[in-house]
Amino acid sequence: MHLAYPAVLSVLLFCTGLYGVLARRNAILVLMSVELMLNAVNLNLVAFDVWLSKAAEETLHSGQALTLFTIAIAAAEIGIGLAIVLAVRRNRGTSDIDKLRDTAEGPDDDGPDDGPGTGTAAAGPAAEKAEATA
């Protein structure tokens, strides 16, 4: 088997996962897309390991060992990530990434303004800088 077949499949899987990370708004689907990208990397590691072991006399199988480490790290990542997403969903009621904010921030006031002199524009550049860094 040629190296091109698993490499092309790996590129397709990685691009699909990248699209999922960039386009999805649900945090669980983003985590699944990251897993898809990690699996594409695993496929590349194993394919190149098999290809290089045919060329070399000594077979170290370092690509397959790295794949095992990647699978272990991915399992830990998805476990912790899913626990965080479920905790946020339970507390906030949504797992939509656009609606989630930092946990230190309070809810926004959607009420009417008190007048023309209130808000962040009247506070000056210090308030804008603090808001930009937060």
Side-chain angles (χ1 to χ4, degrees), residues 12-32:
L12 290 174
L13 283 174
F14 192 85
C15 289
T16 304
L18 185 64
Y19 173 75
V21 167
L22 295 176
R24 299 292 180 181
R25 297 295 176 229
N26 190 348
I28 295 174
L29 293 178
V30 170
L31 286 175
M32 289 175 60

Side-chain angles (χ1 to χ4, degrees), residues 35 38 66-79:
E35 286 294 321
L38 287 173
L66 284 174
T67 299
L68 288 176
F69 285 119
T70 307
I71 290 172
I73 290 171
E77 175 259 334
I78 198 68

Side-chain angles (χ1 to χ4, degrees), residues 5-95:
Y5 298 132
V8 168
L9 179 63
S10 176
V11 166
L12 290 174
L13 283 174
F14 192 85
C15 289
T16 304
L18 185 64
Y19 173 75
V21 167
L22 295 176
R24 299 292 180 181
R25 297 295 176 229
N26 190 348
I28 295 174
L29 293 178
V30 170
L31 286 175
M32 289 175 60
S33 298
V34 168
E35 286 294 321
L36 196 61
M37 290 168 45
L38 287 173
N39 285 330
V41 170
N42 287 340
L43 180 63
N44 251 345
L45 284 172
V46 171
F48 276 99
D49 179 53
V50 169
W51 183 65
L52 289 174
S53 68
K54 287 181 181 178
E57 294 176 8
E58 299 174 0
T59 56
L60 295 176
H61 299 294
S62 58
Q64 294 179 12
L66 284 174
T67 299
L68 288 176
F69 285 119
T70 307
I71 290 172
I73 290 171
E77 175 259 334
I78 198 68
I80 292 171
L82 190 59
I84 291 171
V85 168
L86 290 177
V88 168
R89 170 123 174 123
R90 187 178 307 135
N91 289 336
R92 301 272 175 114
T94 184
S95 62

Side-chain angles (χ1 to χ4, degrees), residues 86-108:
L86 290 177
V88 168
R89 170 123 174 123
R90 187 178 307 135
N91 289 336
R92 301 272 175 114
T94 184
S95 62
D96 190 5
I97 294 175
D98 290 336
K99 294 180 182 176
L100 297 178
R101 293 183 180 256
D102 192 12
T103 57
E105 292 181 11
D108 292 336

